[in-house]
């Protein structure tokens, strides 16, 4: 419930003497405020705006006042596409690719996602959690306050459940909001290699209803690709998700144009992700459906993709763009959202404003939680990132340097 800004019964925490990038919609650029302040109460923002307009009753109710010394405050960052929960790594496949093999060749030879499936199945839930936490910590150290985590390395009910439970546990181990996504249709497990439809039956009839019943999934994702599932198979998963009341997302047109963008749009997907090979008509359909285009330049870079996503088409059609790490062992072993922003700018030509909106307002929209986070506005979670930078461009420009001064999650 949003807090009534006029009610100041509880203690207020106040950050003063700051520059704000509010990302509030309808404002120019990043919604800047030169001499700004943010106030929060019970984990929600009760004021974000010019310091000289701070209501007296908020100042009076302030129990903690932080002088930001002119630093920049942005909304806490949101990594809206990760496969953070996995076992082991695939450095061996990286070496094979350096020697000339392609990602698809390795996948078709039984490596790729399937090798991560074997590793994850062999691990206990506690070990998996222990292995995942350092990756989460790397993201949090750069100001991330919300993260999406997908399953998809279990590929049977027990192990998909295990992955999603670990994802949920990340949110109790650390001060971070975790949104979970069931990605049972990530690839075909070896036992179903010759009958992909039978695996989709299992996803639709057993796995999905069980994870929904147990409250383990906030959304449903799939991988539409030659090495994974056909659009028709993904449609079955999406229909089942919709029937259970869950929003959908799609790994779309990453390695080839399978009409994934349009498919996602047809189901009113929250987002279509990757999109390197998406078509103009796919972009147009996404615009009508309000589907966010999630750019994953880490995967583009790491598998040396050369076909860029149609950024100009997204701009022309007014499709909001988000930027995420796609953190995963096979195509994007990346745990820096700042570096993902840099790559989105250098590799895909996004502007600084597009990059910053891509890890805040638009990332929240890609998770269906735009009403809770992603901007500095009254009523939203008090998730802040406070930066030691002169200008927002520095968040995008540097490579391998972390200018975070402080991170606030729901005013803690
Ligand atoms: N696309 C990707 O880039 C990741 N999953 C997907 O559907 C790759 C996952 C992996 O190779 O482990
Ligand atoms: Fe992915």
């Amino acid at each position: 419930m949003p807090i009534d800004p006029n009610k100041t019964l509880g203690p207020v925490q106040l950050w003063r003497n700051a520059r704000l990038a509010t990302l509030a919609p309808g404002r120019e650029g990043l919604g800047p405020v030169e001499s700004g302040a943010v106030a929060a109460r019970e984990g929600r923002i009760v004021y974000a705006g010019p310091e000289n307009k701070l209501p007296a009753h908020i100042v009076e109710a302030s129990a903690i006042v932080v002088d930001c010394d002119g630093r920049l405050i942005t909304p806490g960052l949101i990594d809206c596409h990760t496969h953070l929960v996995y076992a082991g790594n695939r450095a061996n496949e990286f070496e094979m690719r350096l020697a000339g093999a392609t990602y698809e060749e390795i996948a078709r030879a039984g490596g790729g996602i399937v090798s991560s499936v074997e590793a994850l199945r062999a691990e206990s839930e506690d070990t998996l959690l222990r292995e995942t936490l350092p990756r989460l910590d790397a993201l949090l150290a750069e100001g991330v306050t919300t993260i999406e985590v997908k399953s998809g390395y279990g590929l049977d009910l027990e192990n998909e459940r295990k992955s999603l439970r670990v994802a949920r546990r990340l949110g109790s181990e650390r001060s971070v909001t975790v949104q979970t996504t069931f990605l049972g249709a990530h690839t075909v497990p070896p036992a179903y290699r010759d009958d992909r439809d039978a695996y989709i039956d299992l996803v639709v009839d057993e796995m999905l209803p069980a994870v929904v019943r147990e409250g383990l999934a906030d959304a449903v994702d799939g991988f539409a690709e030659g090495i994974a599932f056909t659009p028709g198979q993904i449609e079955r998963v999406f229909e089942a998700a919709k029937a259970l009341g869950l929003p959908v997302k799609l790994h779309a047109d990453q390695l080839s144009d399978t009409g994934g963008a349009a498919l996602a749009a047809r189901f009113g997907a929250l987002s279509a992700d990757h999109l390197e090979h998406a078509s103009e008509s796919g972009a147009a359909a996404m615009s009508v459906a309000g589907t966010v285009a999630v750019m994953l330049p880490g995967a583009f870079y790491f598998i040396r993709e050369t076909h860029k996503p149609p950024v100009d088409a997204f701009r022309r059609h007014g499709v909001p763009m988000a930027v995420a790490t796609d953190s995963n062992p096979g195509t994007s072993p990346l745990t820096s959202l700042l570096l993902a922003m840099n790559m989105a700018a250098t590799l895909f030509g996004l502007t600084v404003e597009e990059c910053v909106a891509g890890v805040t307002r638009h990332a929240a929209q890609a998770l269906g939680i735009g009403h809770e986070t992603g901007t500095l506005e009254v009523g939203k979670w008090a998730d802040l990132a406070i930066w030691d930078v002169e200008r927002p461009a520095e968040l995008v420009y540097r490579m391998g340097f972390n200018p975070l001064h402080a991170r606030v999650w729901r005013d803690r």
Side-chain angles (χ1 to χ4, degrees):
M1 276 294 290
I3 303 289
D4 177 354
N6 300 314
K7 242 176 76 185
T8 55
L9 298 175
V12 167
Q13 185 162 359
L14 181 58
W15 293 266
R16 307 189 73 140
N17 190 16
R19 284 167 304 124
L20 313 183
T22 63
L23 277 297
R27 306 272 308 273
E28 38 98 29
L30 296 174
V33 178
E34 255 323 297
S35 285
V38 177
R41 177 173 172 259
E42 290 169 19
R44 300 270 179 182
I45 294 173
V46 292
Y47 182 81
E51 178 127 27
N52 60 15
K53 298 219 176 97
L54 247 179
H57 66 270
I58 287 185
V59 178
E60 281 152 24
S62 299
I64 306 168
V65 181
V66 180
D67 182 345
C68 294
D69 265 327
R71 292 187 178 89
L72 176 72
I73 305 184
T74 66
L77 305 191
I78 300 168
D79 193 350
C80 69
H81 180 140
T82 86
H83 308 249
L84 208 67
V85 175
Y86 61 81
N89 65 68
R90 306 230 294 276
N92 59 329
E93 292 181 9
F94 177 57
E95 289 186 291
M96 288 162 70
R97 285 199 300 107
L98 290 175
T102 69
Y103 177 70
E104 280 169 290
E105 282 163 6
I106 293 169
R108 290 189 194 281
I113 297 172
V114 166
S115 60
S116 293
V117 170
E118 281 159 17
L120 181 134
R121 287 180 178 179
E123 249 176 37
S124 73
E125 188 176 314
D126 286 343
T127 308
L128 200 51
L129 176 69
R130 231 181 358 260
E131 235 185 288
T132 305
L133 280 170
R135 293 192 280 270
L136 176 62
D137 288 337
L139 291 167
L140 303 191
E142 289 185 348
V144 168
T145 51
T146 298
I147 179 180
E148 185 257 17
V149 181
K150 301 175 196 297
S151 65
Y153 293 118
L155 307 187
D156 62 26
L157 177 56
E158 181 196 336
N159 288 290
E160 287 291 292
R161 225 188 221 146
K162 179 171 81 184
S163 307
L164 292 169
R165 273 201 303 259
V166 169
R168 285 271 189 251
R169 283 174 69 186
L170 294 174
S172 35
E173 294 281 331
R174 296 289 187 272
S175 307
V176 63
T177 303
V178 177
Q179 291 288 117
T180 59
T181 301
F182 171 64
L183 178 54
H186 193 191
T187 198
V188 190
Y192 289 84
R193 196 168 291 144
D194 300 321
D195 195 354
R196 294 175 181 218
D197 285 319
Y199 179 65
I200 294 294
D201 290 342
L202 185 72
V203 167
V204 166
D205 297 335
E206 282 180 38
M207 292 160 73
L208 186 52
V211 299
V212 172
R213 203 164 46 239
E214 291 164 32
L216 288 171
D218 300 318
V220 173
D221 195 347
F223 189 19
E225 195 60 64
I227 54 170
F229 299 101
T230 64
Q233 289 164 333
I234 295 293
E235 278 184 21
R236 291 188 52 210
V237 176
F238 281 4
E239 273 156 15
K242 290 264 145 179
L244 291 165
L246 282 196
V248 300
K249 314 166 78 62
L250 186 64
H251 281 71
D253 306 330
Q254 179 186 9
L255 307 171
S256 60
D257 181 5
T258 64
L263 168 61
R266 224 165 31 249
F267 281 84
L270 289 174
S271 70
D273 304 40
H274 286 289
L275 298 167
E276 277 83 343
H277 296 264
S279 63
E280 173 93 30
S281 61
M286 286 172 64
S287 164
V288 174
T291 299
V292 176
V294 180
M295 305 285 103
L296 303 168
F300 175 92
Y301 163 84
F302 195 72
I303 60 173
R304 296 193 198 147
E305 175 64 69
T306 52
H307 204 287
K308 297 184 189 192
V311 166
D312 276 334
F314 295 138
R315 287 184 184 131
R316 268 198 316 279
H317 291 282
V319 176
M321 288 182 279
V323 176
T325 62
D326 195 19
S327 193
N328 80 69
T331 62
S332 189
L334 171 65
T335 46
S336 169
L337 194 52
L338 294 177
L339 186 53
M341 282 201 269
N342 175 272
M343 288 177 172
T346 52
L347 300 175
F348 296 165
L350 267 65
T351 64
V352 166
E353 285 171 10
E354 286 170 334
C355 287
V356 177
V359 297
T360 54
R361 188 174 74 231
H362 294 159
Q365 201 179 326
L367 296 177
I369 52 173
H371 55 295
E372 299 279 31
T373 186
T375 67
L376 302 179
E377 289 179 287
V378 170
K380 295 214 177 164
W381 293 329
D383 293 351
L384 317 177
I386 307 177
W387 306 96
D388 261 322
V389 300
E390 289 287 319
R391 46 194 297 147
E394 288 174 62
L395 301 178
V396 180
Y397 145 84
R398 290 206 165 92
M399 296 185 286
F401 180 78
N402 180 7
L404 187 76
H405 170 73
R407 173 188 174 279
V408 178
W409 182 77
R410 303 203 193 173
D411 84 5
R412 280 194 261 147

